[in-house]
Amino acid sequence: MTLEDLGYNNELEEYRKKQNLDSFDIGRVVLEHRDRYTVKTESNEFDCELIGNLRFTITNKNELPSVGDWVAISEYDEDKALIHAVFPRYSTLERKAVGKSGESQIIAVNIDVGIIIQSVNRDFSINRLERYLTICNASNIEPFIILSKIDLIEDLELEELLIQVQERIKNVPIIPLSNQSKVGIDDVISRLTKGKTFCLLGSSGVGKSTLINTLIGEELMYTGEISENIDRGKHVTTHRELIVSEHGILIDNPGMREIGITDATEGFEMTFDEVLNLSQDCKYNNCTHTNEDGCSVLRALDKGELNSQTYENFLKMKKERIHYESSAAERKKKGKDLGKLIKNMKKNNTKY
């Protein structure tokens, strides 16, 4: 295996030289274990931890190494190493932290393509697809969609689902797939590239781990049988993991029940570009597209030119984004106020 197989490129090498990191080994984080990390290099895997100086200079937990990060390491014992530096990220896939206002949670970093997997049975939801598209668009990560478990429905039902998705989601490739019959596998492989990083996104039990096993040709990831009661696979992936294959670098993720969006204005607008294009003709610049006279979005909705479910999901996610932005701003202000208080206390203590 070479560093290029892991996704290493000229930009990372230039950074390594500019930061005088030539004396360190270079590797990529493939697993996180709270405050420890598994890092893969050209020839080995190391159990790593941060050096003290790096640990204590990090002010935001999202600056800690994540799956997909490139790091400079030094070996200090057999299969053990210290992380001395984290390389800059070219993309960060994140969502709103569950249960925490104004905070984000990193899913994975340095991703080239997001593979959004949605099963066609009881898990099917176009609203959820639009959420995954938004977090991909926010990070300038190219997405494509897989509709999995097509062996569970009839061909006519699949055709109807494809029409529904294509009516609301345009210009995004969609691949129908069966991990059982292998229909669609060749189409997926044709979109993979060695040395590029692909992050699998989807709810629990949609077949992410099974797809990885199929692509790499061995049972590397543990999978569960389909439950007869809930008609979907059991949730078995409990951590994020980076796997290197001949088809590219694959990152498996635990299923996400919630995909809350952050202050991803650009990603939001890319997902709902149809609504945003219509809004250019609204009478008022600050139109909320809910009850204003002269709203081109409402006019298109009344004429049936805009899908009503797209419109409703647009309003819901817009409200979430605004709430996240206000919560994040409030948290930032509290942090600054606390910093000033601590600074003043230290200053006053030095006078006595």
Side-chain angles (χ1 to χ4, degrees):
M1 180 184 298
T2 66
L3 286 177
E4 286 71 26
D5 292 334
L6 277 166
Y8 199 68
N9 55 39
N10 292 333
E11 288 77 12
L12 292 166
E13 181 61 20
E14 288 177 9
Y15 178 83
R16 179 186 186 183
K17 291 178 179 177
K18 287 180 180 178
Q19 299 298 314
N20 298 317
L21 299 172
D22 300 66
S23 60
F24 297 104
D25 287 330
I26 302 299
R28 199 167 186 190
V29 177
V30 297
L31 272 173
E32 296 176 52
H33 316 270
R34 292 190 178 180
D35 59 346
R36 303 190 73 85
Y37 311 88
T38 300
V39 174
K40 183 184 286 291
T41 66
E42 288 179 301
S43 58
N44 200 2
E45 281 192 5
F46 293 93
D47 177 26
C48 296
E49 58 184 306
L50 297 175
I51 61 170
N53 183 50
L54 183 60
R55 183 186 301 277
F56 294 119
T57 54
I58 287 176
T59 57
N60 186 324
K61 66 179 182 180
N62 283 349
E63 296 175 5
L64 290 168
S66 295
V67 170
D69 262 322
W70 285 94
V71 292
I73 64 173
S74 65
E75 185 176 2
Y76 69 87
D77 201 351
E78 185 177 359
D79 298 334
K80 296 184 183 295
L82 296 172
I83 296 175
H84 292 261
V86 181
F87 285 46
R89 300 159 175 166
Y90 62 81
S91 67
T92 301
L93 195 59
E94 63 181 3
R95 64 169 174 169
K96 175 185 172 296
V98 178
K100 297 180 180 179
S101 297
E103 290 189 40
S104 63
Q105 176 190 4
I106 289 179
I107 299 170
V109 301
N110 297 324
I111 307 300
D112 297 299
V113 178
I115 304 177
I116 303 168
I117 304 180
Q118 178 99 102
S119 62
V120 296
N121 51 353
R122 294 176 61 177
D123 185 65
F124 184 76
S125 168
I126 302 178
N127 284 358
R128 190 181 297 114
L129 286 177
E130 287 176 336
R131 288 179 173 273
Y132 280 117
L133 284 173
T134 298
I135 64 174
C136 287
N137 290 333
S139 300
N140 292 316
I141 294 170
E142 177 189 350
F144 72 85
I145 296 170
I146 290 177
L147 297 185
S148 67
K149 303 189 179 180
I150 61 172
D151 51 285
L152 297 179
I153 61 174
E154 299 297 329
D155 291 345
L156 183 59
E157 188 178 354
L158 174 61
E159 289 178 16
E160 292 174 352
L161 287 181
L162 286 169
I163 291 171
Q164 291 175 31
V165 175
Q166 290 164 345
E167 282 180 350
R168 288 178 58 178
I169 298 173
K170 301 173 176 64
N171 303 317
V172 177
I174 303 170
I175 299 175
L177 174 77
S178 168
N179 281 310
Q180 300 299 317
S181 68
K182 304 300 184 288
V183 170
I185 291 296
D186 288 342
D187 291 333
V188 174
I189 291 175
S190 70
R191 292 192 168 274
L192 304 182
T193 306
K194 190 173 184 178
K196 295 290 186 181
T197 303
F198 302 82
C199 186
L200 280 69
L201 302 165
S203 303
S204 300
V206 297
K208 299 187 297 295
S209 297
T210 303
L211 176 58
I212 287 180
N213 287 340
T214 301
L215 292 172
I216 64 177
E218 60 177 294
E219 295 295 315
L220 182 65
M221 311 300 291
Y222 177 69
T223 59
E225 297 296 326
I226 291 178
S227 168
E228 294 181 1
N229 294 327
I230 59 176
D231 193 27
R232 63 176 172 84
K234 297 176 182 177
H235 169 59
V236 291
T237 301
T238 57
H239 56 266
R240 293 171 182 85
E241 183 172 357
L242 184 150
I243 302 109
V244 183
S245 79
E246 62 175 319
H247 302 298
I249 301 122
L250 308 170
I251 295 182
D252 193 14
N253 275 287
M256 291 182 280
R257 296 185 184 89
E258 297 181 30
I259 317 107
I261 60 172
T262 58
D263 54 346
T265 303
E266 183 178 352
F268 179 74
E269 291 178 351
M270 288 176 67
T271 302
F272 295 99
D273 60 341
E274 182 181 8
V275 179
L276 271 298
N277 287 335
L278 287 169
S279 71
Q280 300 302 310
D281 296 325
C282 287
K283 183 177 180 180
Y284 305 106
N285 291 331
N286 61 345
C287 185
T288 64
H289 317 304
T290 54
N291 54 17
E292 294 90 346
D293 291 330
C295 174
S296 62
V297 175
L298 292 177
R299 186 163 55 247
L301 191 65
D302 289 339
K303 291 181 178 180
E305 296 171 355
L306 176 65
N307 185 288
S308 61
Q309 292 175 319
T310 296
Y311 170 74
E312 291 169 5
N313 205 29
F314 165 81
L315 291 181
K316 183 178 181 180
M317 290 174 64
K318 180 183 178 182
K319 183 178 179 180
E320 285 183 31
R321 180 173 60 84
I322 293 172
H323 177 71
Y324 177 88
E325 288 174 348
S326 61
S327 298
E330 185 178 347
R331 287 187 68 257
K332 189 174 181 180
K333 182 179 182 301
K334 287 181 179 179
K336 285 184 177 180
D337 291 343
L338 180 60
K340 288 180 182 178
L341 177 62
I342 294 173
K343 186 176 180 181
N344 288 334
M345 289 176 64
K346 289 181 178 178
K347 183 178 180 182
N348 292 332
N349 285 338
T350 57
K351 292 181 180 181
Y352 298 99

